[in-house]
Amino acid sequence: MSDITEQLLRGTSKGVGAKAALALEDGTVFFGAACGAAGEAFGEICFNTSLEGYLEVISDPSYAGQIITLTYPQIGNYGVNLEDAQSGKPALRGLVVRDMCATPSNWRSDMALGEYLERNGVVAIEGVDTRALVRHVRDHGAQRAIVSTVDDDVDSLLAKVRASASIVGQNLAATVSCERPYAHTAHDMPDSVRFALAEGPDARFSVIAYDCGVKRSILDGLVRAGCSVTCVPWDTPAEDVLAQHPDGVFLSNGPGDPDAVSGTYSQVGKLLGKVPMFGICLGHQMMGKAAGADIEKLKFGHRGGNHPVMNLLTRRVEITAQNHGFGVLFPSMGELVPDLSGGYTEHHDDLRFWVRAGIAPVVRNERFGRIRLTHVNLNDGTVEGVAFLDVPAFCVQYHPEAAPGPTDAHYLFTAFARLMEGRKDYLDIDIAADRLAGWRFGAEAAKELANA
């Protein structure tokens, strides 16, 4: 924080918080002011580019083990409405912002964001040049970091962060999963959004959801697709799940290194082919691991609400919400089937090759038969979705619940319902119409779209 900024703040009702520091393991250090709980926090530094929805980001269990940098300049201006929180308690290690609003204005606000962070023990720093920090992470990659309000000695901070644990190899899903099964129904959805969202349909499907750190909005999305949901712990045996005779099994989002979550993907391998399955984010990676795929750690991950994804089946581009630091390597899932891949026999690491070719390639997996690439990230050519052709299962790397983010991918909840109905065309959906489903204005808007 510059001297001029500090002088200006001292003359306002906000004032200047206690000194705070952020240090990265490569020696980069930023100084600012505390705007959350006092103390120190260690984690992997990452950044999220969403323009709104900071509470949903902060309360997403997938951020366990991480220090989040929010790139939008001012955070907290509309306060905190607790019904928007995605979990009972935030799992992130720390928060970095340019400016924290101390006096929010919103009819739904329960408290200021700084108060929420302090109540939940989240160490946070403001006054950081987040543009410079994000550029540094993009250039040099994700790395360990420390946020401290009690130590501003550079040598001390660097010694601490370099002695801290890496996120690689940690099973963080186990730290945010539920301890025992619980149900999620229409009665669990927040009352304060009923002015905008219509009532969901009656439950037609019984779904077991593996809770690896599931967001509440994802469960709401399943309920709005006609599912009665029972969440179970991350390592629940497949035999226990099948004994309940569900119509489908859902694999949730979650934090950390997917290679470390063997208690989930080992069970997924037993479930595939026995029951219709849908996975997102970590759930996508769990399906990949069950099929023998290799996992890569991305340089700085995909986090935000503006990531373009090509749907290879419909040739539509979806603007998606994402939050992950690891990804599945599609070529490792099997050899290409030339007859179903435009005659091609060679894999390409950059999957945008298939976007340009206009082909949704298929591989032959040793364990589960044919698997089709369905979605590709247009920023870096990584895999964003696959569909199993010989067993009823599909998965995507991004977040269709869009909390926060656009609703382009809402159709995937509908697709899961159609998969449980036994339809072969479950992914053949007009996403432009489906994204309006569930909103109170949706029926009229869909009617206008159909008549256009």
Side-chain angles (χ1 to χ4, degrees):
M1 185 182 299
S2 68
D3 291 339
I4 294 177
T5 301
E6 188 169 333
Q7 290 175 25
L8 290 171
L9 284 173
R10 290 192 186 283
T12 69
S13 59
K14 177 177 179 176
V16 180
K19 288 184 177 180
L22 166 70
L24 279 54
E25 66 174 288
D26 68 0
T28 304
V29 179
F30 295 86
F31 295 97
C35 57
E40 288 184 340
F42 299 87
E44 182 179 84
I45 191 73
C46 65
F47 60 88
N48 185 295
T49 58
S50 296
L51 302 183
E52 45 75 42
Y54 51 80
L55 177 62
E56 289 91 327
V57 171
I58 291 167
S59 57
D60 181 351
S62 292
Y63 281 108
Q66 295 181 309
I67 297 171
I68 307 174
T69 304
L70 296 177
T71 62
Y72 191 74
Q74 185 180 68
I75 298 297
N77 57 308
Y78 56 85
V80 168
N81 181 277
L82 294 175
E83 286 194 332
D84 293 339
Q86 298 300 301
S87 59
K89 183 179 176 62
L92 77 165
R93 299 281 175 82
L95 181 68
V96 183
V97 301
R98 179 70 184 91
D99 176 62
M100 176 75 75
C101 179
T103 54
S105 177
N106 187 331
W107 65 276
R108 297 180 68 236
S109 178
D110 295 320
M111 67 185 76
L113 179 58
E115 180 184 352
Y116 174 80
L117 296 173
E118 190 171 4
R119 284 188 182 186
N120 287 282
V122 178
V123 181
I125 180 174
E126 66 172 324
V128 171
D129 185 344
T130 50
R131 294 172 301 177
L133 174 57
V134 169
R135 284 196 299 267
H136 186 83
V137 173
R138 288 183 64 183
D139 290 342
H140 300 281
Q143 53 190 288
R144 293 171 295 173
I146 177 175
V147 177
S148 179
T149 67
V150 296
D151 186 358
D152 61 0
D153 180 80
V154 172
D155 291 337
S156 173
L157 291 169
L158 293 179
K160 291 176 184 177
V161 71
R162 288 167 180 167
S164 64
S166 168
I167 198 172
V168 176
Q170 289 194 56
N171 180 1
L172 293 170
T175 69
V176 292
S177 179
C178 59
E179 294 183 359
R180 58 188 63 86
Y182 66 94
H184 188 89
T185 68
H187 298 293
D188 297 299
M189 293 192 288
D191 291 330
S192 64
V193 299
R194 297 187 188 279
F195 74 96
L197 290 170
E199 295 296 328
D202 293 335
R204 297 184 295 136
F205 309 103
S206 171
V207 170
I208 302 293
Y210 272 81
D211 179 2
C212 295
V214 69
K215 295 172 67 178
R216 192 189 66 195
S217 290
I218 291 175
L219 299 178
D220 290 347
L222 291 169
V223 169
R224 291 190 178 280
C227 302
S228 173
V229 183
T230 300
C231 296
V232 297
W234 67 281
D235 58 350
T236 300
E239 295 78 11
D240 293 354
V241 171
L242 294 173
Q244 298 183 54
H245 305 289
D247 297 306
V249 172
F250 172 74
L251 307 174
S252 86
N253 64 296
D257 185 351
D259 280 327
V261 196
S262 59
T264 300
Y265 66 73
S266 62
Q267 303 309 314
V268 173
K270 300 175 184 178
L271 292 168
L272 281 167
K274 303 288 181 60
V275 62
M277 298 186 71
F278 172 37
I280 72 165
C281 199
L282 183 67
H284 165 81
Q285 297 160 4
M286 294 297 94
M287 279 200 199
K289 288 290 296 180
D294 294 331
I295 300 292
E296 67 172 336
K297 191 176 191 307
L298 303 176
K299 183 177 180 180
F300 49 80
H302 301 156
R303 299 178 181 90
N306 58 352
H307 292 257
V309 168
M310 172 62 81
N311 183 325
L312 295 176
L313 304 179
T314 65
R315 301 298 296 172
R316 284 186 180 269
V317 175
E318 304 166 24
I319 304 302
T320 67
Q322 305 209 7
N323 174 18
H324 60 277
F326 296 81
V328 172
L329 292 170
F330 179 69
S332 67
M333 301 187 82
E335 295 183 356
L336 287 171
V337 180
D339 291 348
L340 298 175
S341 306
Y344 291 98
T345 58
E346 298 295 326
H347 275 294
H348 295 266
D349 292 334
D350 187 337
L351 301 179
R352 287 173 293 188
F353 170 86
W354 301 109
V355 174
R356 293 187 291 269
I359 295 168
V362 175
V363 298
R364 188 170 302 282
N365 184 262
E366 290 185 358
R367 188 171 182 187
F368 298 110
R370 299 168 301 162
I371 300 175
R372 166 165 278 145
L373 177 67
T374 56
H375 298 79
V376 173
N377 189 297
L378 293 178
N379 283 338
D380 62 6
T382 53
V383 59
E384 291 285 359
V386 299
F388 291 67
L389 301 185
D390 296 318
V391 300
F394 73 108
C395 52
V396 294
Q397 183 63 74
Y398 52 100
H399 282 233
E401 87 290 348
T407 59
D408 292 23
H410 177 275
Y411 74 95
L412 291 165
F413 291 113
T414 305
F416 184 37
R418 290 168 57 150
L419 179 67
M420 288 186 286
E421 290 173 347
R423 294 179 58 166
K424 299 295 184 182
D425 64 343
Y426 65 94
L427 281 172
D428 184 13
I429 296 173
D430 181 355
I431 66 173
D434 191 86
R435 70 195 299 259
L436 302 173
W439 297 92
R440 292 203 177 274
F441 60 80
E444 290 301 320
K447 192 180 298 182
E448 290 180 10
L449 184 66
N451 295 329

